[in-house]
C-alpha cells in the first residue's frame, strides 16, 4: 500500500510551519499544502526551499482570510473583506462560481511565482469537494496538470485524483499510534492521510479551534514506524 501523509495549513502560522517541517524531517509526513493567504506564507516558502524533500501542494481557500484577487471577488466576501463562506457547503450562483475560479487561479499563480514546484491541489475545509465547484476543480486540474485530493464529488474521475481515497480519522480522538495498522486493513492501493502537526502558540489559538491536538499529532507522527508492505509517497 502506498500512503501519502499530507500536512494541511502550511503558511497559516509560523508554529504550524515549524511543526510540519519537524514532522517531515523527523517523522512520516511526506507532503504539505500551502495556504497562499495564510499569516506566515513567506516563512513557509523559505522553509520549503530549505527542505526540498518535502513536496508542497496548494491549499485553496474560500473559508478563511481574504481573497488575493481584490478586483473580481466582490460576491465572495463580507463587509470586512473576508471570505463569507464557512466549512458548510452551500449552493452557489454561476457568477459566484466564476469568481471562485478566478480567485483560485490567482492563488495558484501566486504559488507558482514562488519558484516552488506545485505538487497537487487540495483545499481548506475540503471546499474543493463542494458539488457546485466540481467543474472548476476539474478545469484547474487539467489546466495545471495537477492531481487533486480525493473527494466524493470526484470519485468518478480517478485519473484526476492524488490517491484512491482519503483518511480523515487521524484527528482529535482518532489520533493514535496504530495509524498504519488501521490503514493496512483497507482495500486500497493508495491513500492519503490528512494531518495537522504544529507548534501551538497564541496566534494559532486566536484563529483556530483545533490547537492542542495538533501537538499530539506532531508527537505521534514523529514516532510512527512504517510497517512491511507500506511505502510512503
Amino acid at each position: 500500500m502506498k500512503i501519502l501523509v499530507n500536512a494541511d495549513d502550511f503558511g497559516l502560522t509560523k508554529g504550524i510551519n515549524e511543526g510540519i517541517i519537524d514532522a517531515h524531517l523527523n517523522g512520516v509526513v511526506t507532503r504539505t499544502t500551502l495556504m497562499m493567504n495564510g499569516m506566515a506564507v513567506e516563512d513557509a516558502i523559505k522553509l520549503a526551499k530549505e527542505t526540498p524533500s518535502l513536496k508542497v501542494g496548494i491549499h485553496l481557500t474560500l473559508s478563511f482570510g481574504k481573497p488575493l484577487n481584490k478586483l473580481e471577488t466582490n460576491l465572495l466576501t463580507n463587509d470586512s473583506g473576508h471570505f463569507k463562506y464557512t466549512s458548510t457547503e452551500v449552493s452557489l450562483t454561476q457568477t459566484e462560481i466564476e469568481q471562485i475560479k478566478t480567485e483560485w487561479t490567482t492563488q495558484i499563480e501566486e504559488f507558482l511565482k514562488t519558484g516552488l514546484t506545485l505538487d497537487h491541489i487540495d483545499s481548506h475545509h475540503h471546499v474543493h469537494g463542494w458539488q457546485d465547484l466540481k467543474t472548476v476543480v476539474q478545469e484547474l486540474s487539467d489546466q495545471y496538470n495537477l492531481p487533486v485530493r480525493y473527494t466524493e464529488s470526484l470519485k468518478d474521475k480517478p485519473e484526476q485524483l492524488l490517491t484512491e481515497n482519503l483518511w480523515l480519522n487521524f484527528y482529535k480522538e482518532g489520533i493514535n499510534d496504530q495509524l498504519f495498522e488501521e490503514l493496512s486493513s483497507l482495500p486500497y492501493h493508495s491513500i492519503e492521510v490528512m494531518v495537522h502537526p504544529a507548534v501551538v502558540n497564541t496566534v494559532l489559538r486566536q484563529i483556530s479551534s483545533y490547537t492542542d491536538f495538533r501537538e499530539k499529532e506532531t508527537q505521534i507522527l514523529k514516532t510512527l514506524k512504517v510497517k512491511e508492505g507500506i511505502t510512503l509517497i
Side-chain angles (χ1 to χ4, degrees), residues 64-67 76-85:
F64 172 84
K66 297 181 178 182
L76 310 184
T77 57
N78 56 27
D79 291 340
S80 68
H82 291 79
F83 284 119
K84 67 182 183 181
Y85 306 100

Side-chain angles (χ1 to χ4, degrees), residues 32-34 36 55-60 107-109 111-112 114-122 144-147:
T32 189
T33 181
L34 179 59
M36 293 308 300
K55 296 179 180 180
V56 185
I58 189 163
H59 207 46
L60 296 173
Q107 291 179 25
I108 292 171
E109 290 295 329
F111 182 107
L112 295 175
T114 69
L116 295 170
T117 299
L118 183 50
D119 181 71
H120 67 275
I121 293 171
D122 59 44
Y144 292 98
N145 192 28
L146 293 169

Side-chain angles (χ1 to χ4, degrees), residues 166-184:
L166 175 66
W167 182 260
L168 300 173
N169 294 353
F170 193 77
Y171 188 75
K172 293 186 175 180
E173 288 76 14
I175 304 167
N176 67 79
D177 60 5
Q178 299 300 303
L179 173 64
F180 292 140
E181 285 76 10
E182 293 175 339
L183 295 175
S184 294

Side-chain angles (χ1 to χ4, degrees), residues 31-201:
R31 308 191 195 198
T32 189
T33 181
L34 179 59
M35 297 175 69
M36 293 308 300
N37 69 343
M39 302 169 65
V41 173
E42 292 305 316
D43 178 66
I45 293 168
K46 177 177 179 292
L47 290 171
K49 289 182 176 180
E50 294 171 352
T51 318
S53 56
L54 179 63
K55 296 179 180 180
V56 185
I58 189 163
H59 207 46
L60 296 173
T61 55
L62 188 62
S63 57
F64 172 84
K66 297 181 178 182
L68 299 185
N69 187 319
K70 309 296 184 187
L71 300 178
E72 302 172 89
T73 53
N74 62 300
L75 296 180
L76 310 184
T77 57
N78 56 27
D79 291 340
S80 68
H82 291 79
F83 284 119
K84 67 182 183 181
Y85 306 100
T86 67
S87 58
T88 302
E89 184 170 357
V90 294
S91 296
L92 300 165
T93 66
Q94 186 56 42
T95 306
E96 283 178 300
I97 292 169
E98 291 169 1
Q99 290 195 3
I100 290 168
K101 183 178 181 182
T102 297
E103 168 61 19
W104 282 358
T105 300
T106 299
Q107 291 179 25
I108 292 171
E109 290 295 329
E110 287 301 308
F111 182 107
L112 295 175
K113 289 178 184 177
T114 69
L116 295 170
T117 299
L118 183 50
D119 181 71
H120 67 275
I121 293 171
D122 59 44
S123 67
H124 197 50
H125 294 142
H126 304 288
V127 292
H128 75 286
W130 290 6
Q131 192 61 45
D132 285 351
L133 295 174
K134 177 178 180 177
T135 299
V136 168
V137 173
Q138 289 181 279
E139 290 173 349
L140 292 174
S141 173
D142 287 339
Q143 180 179 345
Y144 292 98
N145 192 28
L146 293 169
V148 181
R149 169 179 278 173
Y150 177 90
T151 71
E152 286 292 310
S153 63
L154 291 171
K155 66 181 180 180
D156 61 334
K157 299 292 181 181
E159 69 279 2
Q160 290 187 302
L161 295 176
L162 186 60
T163 59
E164 289 181 52
N165 214 299
L166 175 66
W167 182 260
L168 300 173
N169 294 353
F170 193 77
Y171 188 75
K172 293 186 175 180
E173 288 76 14
I175 304 167
N176 67 79
D177 60 5
Q178 299 300 303
L179 173 64
F180 292 140
E181 285 76 10
E182 293 175 339
L183 295 175
S184 294
S185 66
L186 300 176
Y188 306 114
H189 296 294
S190 65
I191 192 166
E192 175 189 349
V193 181
M194 183 187 72
V195 299
H196 299 85
V199 174
V200 177
N201 55 25

